[in-house]
mmCIF file of all heavy atoms in Angstrom:
data_model
loop_
_atom_site.group_PDB
_atom_site.id
_atom_site.type_symbol
_atom_site.label_atom_id
_atom_site.label_comp_id
_atom_site.label_asym_id
_atom_site.label_seq_id
_atom_site.Cartn_x
_atom_site.Cartn_y
_atom_site.Cartn_z
ATOM 1 N N ALA A 13 12.364 -42.508 18.295
ATOM 2 C CA ALA A 13 13.629 -42.953 18.897
ATOM 3 C C ALA A 13 13.846 -42.310 20.263
ATOM 4 O O ALA A 13 14.376 -42.951 21.187
ATOM 5 C CB ALA A 13 14.788 -42.625 17.960
ATOM 6 N N THR A 14 13.437 -41.064 20.407
ATOM 7 C CA THR A 14 13.581 -40.366 21.687
ATOM 8 C C THR A 14 12.752 -41.040 22.770
ATOM 9 O O THR A 14 13.246 -41.287 23.889
ATOM 10 C CB THR A 14 13.165 -38.896 21.526
ATOM 11 O OG1 THR A 14 14.111 -38.242 20.672
ATOM 12 C CG2 THR A 14 13.119 -38.178 22.855
ATOM 13 N N LEU A 15 11.516 -41.383 22.469
ATOM 14 C CA LEU A 15 10.666 -42.045 23.454
ATOM 15 C C LEU A 15 11.098 -43.477 23.699
ATOM 16 O O LEU A 15 10.984 -43.997 24.821
ATOM 17 C CB LEU A 15 9.201 -41.979 23.028
ATOM 18 C CG LEU A 15 8.613 -40.571 23.004
ATOM 19 C CD1 LEU A 15 7.198 -40.596 22.445
ATOM 20 C CD2 LEU A 15 8.628 -39.931 24.391
ATOM 21 N N ALA A 16 11.620 -44.144 22.681
ATOM 22 C CA ALA A 16 12.128 -45.515 22.874
ATOM 23 C C ALA A 16 13.276 -45.520 23.873
ATOM 24 O O ALA A 16 13.397 -46.449 24.688
ATOM 25 C CB ALA A 16 12.577 -46.101 21.545
ATOM 26 N N PHE A 17 14.130 -44.496 23.828
ATOM 27 C CA PHE A 17 15.240 -44.435 24.782
ATOM 28 C C PHE A 17 14.715 -44.243 26.204
ATOM 29 O O PHE A 17 15.243 -44.810 27.164
ATOM 30 C CB PHE A 17 16.208 -43.321 24.425
ATOM 31 C CG PHE A 17 17.447 -43.331 25.269
ATOM 32 C CD1 PHE A 17 18.408 -44.310 25.093
ATOM 33 C CD2 PHE A 17 17.638 -42.390 26.261
ATOM 34 C CE1 PHE A 17 19.542 -44.357 25.891
ATOM 35 C CE2 PHE A 17 18.762 -42.403 27.053
ATOM 36 C CZ PHE A 17 19.731 -43.399 26.873
ATOM 37 N N ARG A 18 13.660 -43.463 26.373
ATOM 38 C CA ARG A 18 13.084 -43.310 27.706
ATOM 39 C C ARG A 18 12.484 -44.620 28.204
ATOM 40 O O ARG A 18 12.618 -44.958 29.387
ATOM 41 C CB ARG A 18 12.028 -42.192 27.688
ATOM 42 C CG ARG A 18 12.694 -40.809 27.747
ATOM 43 C CD ARG A 18 12.205 -39.860 26.706
ATOM 44 N NE ARG A 18 12.946 -38.604 26.791
ATOM 45 C CZ ARG A 18 14.155 -38.395 26.223
ATOM 46 N NH1 ARG A 18 14.743 -39.361 25.511
ATOM 47 N NH2 ARG A 18 14.793 -37.229 26.364
ATOM 48 N N ARG A 19 11.867 -45.381 27.325
ATOM 49 C CA ARG A 19 11.334 -46.691 27.739
ATOM 50 C C ARG A 19 12.474 -47.631 28.139
ATOM 51 O O ARG A 19 12.319 -48.451 29.061
ATOM 52 C CB ARG A 19 10.489 -47.296 26.617
ATOM 53 C CG ARG A 19 9.206 -46.498 26.358
ATOM 54 C CD ARG A 19 8.291 -47.188 25.365
ATOM 55 N NE ARG A 19 7.118 -46.358 25.084
ATOM 56 C CZ ARG A 19 7.001 -45.548 24.043
ATOM 57 N NH1 ARG A 19 7.975 -45.473 23.127
ATOM 58 N NH2 ARG A 19 5.904 -44.816 23.874
ATOM 59 N N HIS A 20 13.601 -47.528 27.459
ATOM 60 C CA HIS A 20 14.786 -48.291 27.842
ATOM 61 C C HIS A 20 15.193 -47.957 29.284
ATOM 62 O O HIS A 20 15.442 -48.853 30.112
ATOM 63 C CB HIS A 20 15.933 -47.972 26.862
ATOM 64 C CG HIS A 20 17.305 -48.180 27.387
ATOM 65 N ND1 HIS A 20 17.857 -49.434 27.578
ATOM 66 C CD2 HIS A 20 18.264 -47.276 27.753
ATOM 67 C CE1 HIS A 20 19.093 -49.297 28.030
ATOM 68 N NE2 HIS A 20 19.363 -48.002 28.148
ATOM 69 N N LEU A 21 15.234 -46.671 29.646
ATOM 70 C CA LEU A 21 15.610 -46.285 30.996
ATOM 71 C C LEU A 21 14.578 -46.737 32.020
ATOM 72 O O LEU A 21 14.920 -47.232 33.098
ATOM 73 C CB LEU A 21 15.794 -44.766 31.063
ATOM 74 C CG LEU A 21 16.951 -44.199 30.231
ATOM 75 C CD1 LEU A 21 16.917 -42.675 30.256
ATOM 76 C CD2 LEU A 21 18.305 -44.710 30.734
ATOM 77 N N TRP A 22 13.305 -46.555 31.695
ATOM 78 C CA TRP A 22 12.265 -47.014 32.623
ATOM 79 C C TRP A 22 12.337 -48.522 32.833
ATOM 80 O O TRP A 22 12.081 -49.012 33.940
ATOM 81 C CB TRP A 22 10.886 -46.614 32.089
ATOM 82 C CG TRP A 22 10.595 -45.157 32.173
ATOM 83 C CD1 TRP A 22 10.946 -44.304 33.184
ATOM 84 C CD2 TRP A 22 9.870 -44.357 31.228
ATOM 85 N NE1 TRP A 22 10.498 -43.032 32.913
ATOM 86 C CE2 TRP A 22 9.840 -43.028 31.724
ATOM 87 C CE3 TRP A 22 9.234 -44.640 30.012
ATOM 88 C CZ2 TRP A 22 9.194 -41.999 31.040
ATOM 89 C CZ3 TRP A 22 8.602 -43.610 29.330
ATOM 90 C CH2 TRP A 22 8.584 -42.299 29.839
ATOM 91 N N SER A 23 12.683 -49.280 31.786
ATOM 92 C CA SER A 23 12.728 -50.735 31.916
ATOM 93 C C SER A 23 13.782 -51.185 32.920
ATOM 94 O O SER A 23 13.688 -52.270 33.482
ATOM 95 C CB SER A 23 13.007 -51.393 30.551
ATOM 96 O OG SER A 23 14.364 -51.282 30.178
ATOM 97 N N TYR A 24 14.795 -50.356 33.145
ATOM 98 C CA TYR A 24 15.823 -50.670 34.128
ATOM 99 C C TYR A 24 15.488 -50.180 35.525
ATOM 100 O O TYR A 24 16.266 -50.377 36.462
ATOM 101 C CB TYR A 24 17.171 -50.090 33.681
ATOM 102 C CG TYR A 24 17.875 -50.983 32.699
ATOM 103 C CD1 TYR A 24 17.689 -50.843 31.336
ATOM 104 C CD2 TYR A 24 18.708 -52.019 33.143
ATOM 105 C CE1 TYR A 24 18.316 -51.675 30.426
ATOM 106 C CE2 TYR A 24 19.339 -52.858 32.243
ATOM 107 C CZ TYR A 24 19.144 -52.684 30.896
ATOM 108 O OH TYR A 24 19.766 -53.531 30.003
ATOM 109 N N GLY A 25 14.371 -49.512 35.704
ATOM 110 C CA GLY A 25 13.964 -49.053 37.024
ATOM 111 C C GLY A 25 14.205 -47.584 37.300
ATOM 112 O O GLY A 25 13.874 -47.098 38.383
ATOM 113 N N PHE A 26 14.793 -46.866 36.354
ATOM 114 C CA PHE A 26 15.068 -45.444 36.561
ATOM 115 C C PHE A 26 13.842 -44.593 36.271
ATOM 116 O O PHE A 26 13.013 -44.930 35.421
ATOM 117 C CB PHE A 26 16.209 -44.982 35.645
ATOM 118 C CG PHE A 26 17.539 -45.600 35.982
ATOM 119 C CD1 PHE A 26 18.042 -46.650 35.243
ATOM 120 C CD2 PHE A 26 18.269 -45.128 37.065
ATOM 121 C CE1 PHE A 26 19.250 -47.237 35.562
ATOM 122 C CE2 PHE A 26 19.485 -45.715 37.391
ATOM 123 C CZ PHE A 26 19.975 -46.769 36.648
ATOM 124 N N GLY A 27 13.744 -43.453 36.957
ATOM 125 C CA GLY A 27 12.885 -42.393 36.490
ATOM 126 C C GLY A 27 13.635 -41.618 35.413
ATOM 127 O O GLY A 27 14.842 -41.745 35.258
ATOM 128 N N VAL A 28 12.906 -40.806 34.668
ATOM 129 C CA VAL A 28 13.511 -39.967 33.637
ATOM 130 C C VAL A 28 13.412 -38.513 34.071
ATOM 131 O O VAL A 28 12.340 -38.040 34.461
ATOM 132 C CB VAL A 28 12.839 -40.179 32.265
ATOM 133 C CG1 VAL A 28 13.189 -39.067 31.294
ATOM 134 C CG2 VAL A 28 13.234 -41.541 31.684
ATOM 135 N N ALA A 29 14.540 -37.812 33.994
ATOM 136 C CA ALA A 29 14.570 -36.365 34.157
ATOM 137 C C ALA A 29 14.551 -35.768 32.761
ATOM 138 O O ALA A 29 15.510 -35.914 32.005
ATOM 139 C CB ALA A 29 15.809 -35.930 34.924
ATOM 140 N N GLU A 30 13.448 -35.151 32.426
ATOM 141 C CA GLU A 30 13.179 -34.733 31.057
ATOM 142 C C GLU A 30 13.492 -33.258 30.828
ATOM 143 O O GLU A 30 13.338 -32.430 31.740
ATOM 144 C CB GLU A 30 11.703 -35.008 30.717
ATOM 145 C CG GLU A 30 11.347 -34.840 29.260
ATOM 146 C CD GLU A 30 12.239 -35.694 28.370
ATOM 147 O OE1 GLU A 30 13.349 -35.236 28.024
ATOM 148 O OE2 GLU A 30 11.826 -36.816 28.041
ATOM 149 N N ALA A 31 13.910 -32.956 29.588
ATOM 150 C CA ALA A 31 14.087 -31.583 29.117
ATOM 151 C C ALA A 31 15.017 -30.782 30.020
ATOM 152 O O ALA A 31 14.772 -29.610 30.309
ATOM 153 C CB ALA A 31 12.723 -30.883 28.985
ATOM 154 N N MET A 32 16.093 -31.433 30.441
ATOM 155 C CA MET A 32 17.089 -30.754 31.261
ATOM 156 C C MET A 32 18.354 -30.538 30.433
ATOM 157 O O MET A 32 18.330 -30.604 29.214
ATOM 158 C CB MET A 32 17.303 -31.515 32.554
ATOM 159 C CG MET A 32 16.025 -31.586 33.374
ATOM 160 S SD MET A 32 16.224 -32.173 35.048
ATOM 161 C CE MET A 32 17.301 -30.937 35.748
ATOM 162 N N ASP A 33 19.494 -30.263 31.086
ATOM 163 C CA ASP A 33 20.661 -29.897 30.300
ATOM 164 C C ASP A 33 21.172 -31.058 29.439
ATOM 165 O O ASP A 33 21.720 -30.831 28.365
ATOM 166 C CB ASP A 33 21.774 -29.328 31.172
ATOM 167 C CG ASP A 33 22.135 -30.206 32.352
ATOM 168 O OD1 ASP A 33 21.252 -30.443 33.202
ATOM 169 O OD2 ASP A 33 23.295 -30.643 32.441
ATOM 170 N N THR A 34 20.967 -32.311 29.869
ATOM 171 C CA THR A 34 21.373 -33.435 29.036
ATOM 172 C C THR A 34 20.621 -33.446 27.704
ATOM 173 O O THR A 34 21.154 -33.893 26.691
ATOM 174 C CB THR A 34 21.158 -34.777 29.770
ATOM 175 O OG1 THR A 34 21.839 -34.731 31.023
ATOM 176 C CG2 THR A 34 21.676 -35.950 28.959
ATOM 177 N N ALA A 35 19.397 -32.970 27.700
ATOM 178 C CA ALA A 35 18.591 -32.882 26.480
ATOM 179 C C ALA A 35 18.935 -31.629 25.667
ATOM 180 O O ALA A 35 18.176 -31.239 24.794
ATOM 181 C CB ALA A 35 17.106 -32.885 26.826
ATOM 182 N N GLN A 36 20.100 -31.020 25.970
ATOM 183 C CA GLN A 36 20.603 -29.847 25.259
ATOM 184 C C GLN A 36 19.762 -28.609 25.495
ATOM 185 O O GLN A 36 19.649 -27.735 24.637
ATOM 186 C CB GLN A 36 20.773 -30.119 23.762
ATOM 187 C CG GLN A 36 21.812 -31.183 23.442
ATOM 188 C CD GLN A 36 21.922 -31.429 21.954
ATOM 189 O OE1 GLN A 36 21.711 -32.538 21.497
ATOM 190 N NE2 GLN A 36 22.260 -30.400 21.188
ATOM 191 N N ARG A 37 19.167 -28.535 26.684
ATOM 192 C CA ARG A 37 18.447 -27.319 27.038
ATOM 193 C C ARG A 37 19.428 -26.153 27.059
ATOM 194 O O ARG A 37 20.431 -26.170 27.769
ATOM 195 C CB ARG A 37 17.801 -27.515 28.420
ATOM 196 C CG ARG A 37 16.674 -26.561 28.736
ATOM 197 C CD ARG A 37 15.410 -26.940 27.970
ATOM 198 N NE ARG A 37 14.328 -26.028 28.286
ATOM 199 C CZ ARG A 37 13.413 -26.270 29.234
ATOM 200 N NH1 ARG A 37 13.461 -27.392 29.938
ATOM 201 N NH2 ARG A 37 12.439 -25.404 29.451
ATOM 202 N N GLY A 38 19.172 -25.148 26.241
ATOM 203 C CA GLY A 38 20.075 -24.029 26.136
ATOM 204 C C GLY A 38 21.254 -24.267 25.211
ATOM 205 O O GLY A 38 22.085 -23.383 25.021
ATOM 206 N N MET A 39 21.335 -25.443 24.603
ATOM 207 C CA MET A 39 22.422 -25.760 23.675
ATOM 208 C C MET A 39 21.859 -26.504 22.457
ATOM 209 O O MET A 39 22.398 -27.520 22.039
ATOM 210 C CB MET A 39 23.517 -26.579 24.351
ATOM 211 C CG MET A 39 24.320 -25.826 25.388
ATOM 212 S SD MET A 39 25.730 -26.765 26.034
ATOM 213 C CE MET A 39 26.837 -26.748 24.607
ATOM 214 N N GLY A 40 20.757 -26.001 21.933
ATOM 215 C CA GLY A 40 20.184 -26.599 20.735
ATOM 216 C C GLY A 40 18.716 -26.937 20.837
ATOM 217 O O GLY A 40 18.021 -27.000 19.824
ATOM 218 N N LEU A 41 18.210 -27.185 22.067
ATOM 219 C CA LEU A 41 16.804 -27.531 22.248
ATOM 220 C C LEU A 41 16.028 -26.256 22.593
ATOM 221 O O LEU A 41 16.173 -25.722 23.685
ATOM 222 C CB LEU A 41 16.629 -28.567 23.355
ATOM 223 C CG LEU A 41 15.219 -29.147 23.482
ATOM 224 C CD1 LEU A 41 14.931 -30.112 22.325
ATOM 225 C CD2 LEU A 41 15.048 -29.865 24.811
ATOM 226 N N ASP A 42 15.228 -25.761 21.679
ATOM 227 C CA ASP A 42 14.436 -24.559 21.916
ATOM 228 C C ASP A 42 13.213 -24.886 22.763
ATOM 229 O O ASP A 42 12.819 -26.052 22.883
ATOM 230 C CB ASP A 42 13.999 -23.959 20.578
ATOM 231 C CG ASP A 42 13.269 -24.956 19.705
ATOM 232 O OD1 ASP A 42 13.951 -25.794 19.065
ATOM 233 O OD2 ASP A 42 12.025 -24.938 19.673
ATOM 234 N N TYR A 43 12.591 -23.847 23.360
ATOM 235 C CA TYR A 43 11.508 -24.136 24.290
ATOM 236 C C TYR A 43 10.277 -24.767 23.662
ATOM 237 O O TYR A 43 9.693 -25.685 24.252
ATOM 238 C CB TYR A 43 11.092 -22.910 25.124
ATOM 239 C CG TYR A 43 10.056 -23.323 26.119
ATOM 240 C CD1 TYR A 43 10.372 -24.279 27.091
ATOM 241 C CD2 TYR A 43 8.744 -22.882 26.040
ATOM 242 C CE1 TYR A 43 9.417 -24.745 27.982
ATOM 243 C CE2 TYR A 43 7.786 -23.340 26.928
ATOM 244 C CZ TYR A 43 8.129 -24.284 27.896
ATOM 245 O OH TYR A 43 7.188 -24.770 28.761
ATOM 246 N N PRO A 44 9.784 -24.353 22.478
ATOM 247 C CA PRO A 44 8.634 -25.056 21.912
ATOM 248 C C PRO A 44 8.868 -26.565 21.777
ATOM 249 O O PRO A 44 7.969 -27.367 22.054
ATOM 250 C CB PRO A 44 8.448 -24.381 20.552
ATOM 251 C CG PRO A 44 8.969 -23.002 20.743
ATOM 252 C CD PRO A 44 10.161 -23.167 21.652
ATOM 253 N N THR A 45 10.070 -26.957 21.377
ATOM 254 C CA THR A 45 10.366 -28.388 21.269
ATOM 255 C C THR A 45 10.469 -29.023 22.647
ATOM 256 O O THR A 45 10.024 -30.153 22.860
ATOM 257 C CB THR A 45 11.664 -28.607 20.467
ATOM 258 O OG1 THR A 45 11.596 -27.866 19.252
ATOM 259 C CG2 THR A 45 11.853 -30.079 20.141
ATOM 260 N N ALA A 46 11.054 -28.297 23.607
ATOM 261 C CA ALA A 46 11.143 -28.830 24.970
ATOM 262 C C ALA A 46 9.754 -29.055 25.556
ATOM 263 O O ALA A 46 9.500 -30.064 26.230
ATOM 264 C CB ALA A 46 11.942 -27.856 25.840
ATOM 265 N N ARG A 47 8.833 -28.129 25.327
ATOM 266 C CA ARG A 47 7.467 -28.275 25.829
ATOM 267 C C ARG A 47 6.792 -29.510 25.230
ATOM 268 O O ARG A 47 6.138 -30.288 25.926
ATOM 269 C CB ARG A 47 6.668 -27.018 25.507
ATOM 270 C CG ARG A 47 5.229 -27.028 26.016
ATOM 271 C CD ARG A 47 4.573 -25.687 25.767
ATOM 272 N NE ARG A 47 4.678 -25.297 24.367
ATOM 273 C CZ ARG A 47 4.793 -24.042 23.947
ATOM 274 N NH1 ARG A 47 4.834 -23.040 24.809
ATOM 275 N NH2 ARG A 47 4.871 -23.773 22.662
#
């Protein structure tokens, strides 16, 4: 589901900014999972 959402954004012409604060970096997303 996570990758499907990125394909949704790419289909509209956007680039994806990955593993940043929107992805809960520092608020639930630990580094091994972020990597």
Side-chain angles (χ1 to χ4, degrees):
T14 293
L15 294 175
F17 187 72
R18 280 130 183 83
R19 293 187 183 97
H20 156 73
L21 295 173
W22 288 323
S23 77
Y24 277 91
F26 293 101
V28 164
E30 190 55 275
M32 298 192 62
D33 52 298
T34 305
Q36 297 179 239
R37 199 75 179 265
M39 291 187 71
L41 189 74
D42 54 281
Y43 184 61
T45 310
R47 182 174 54 213

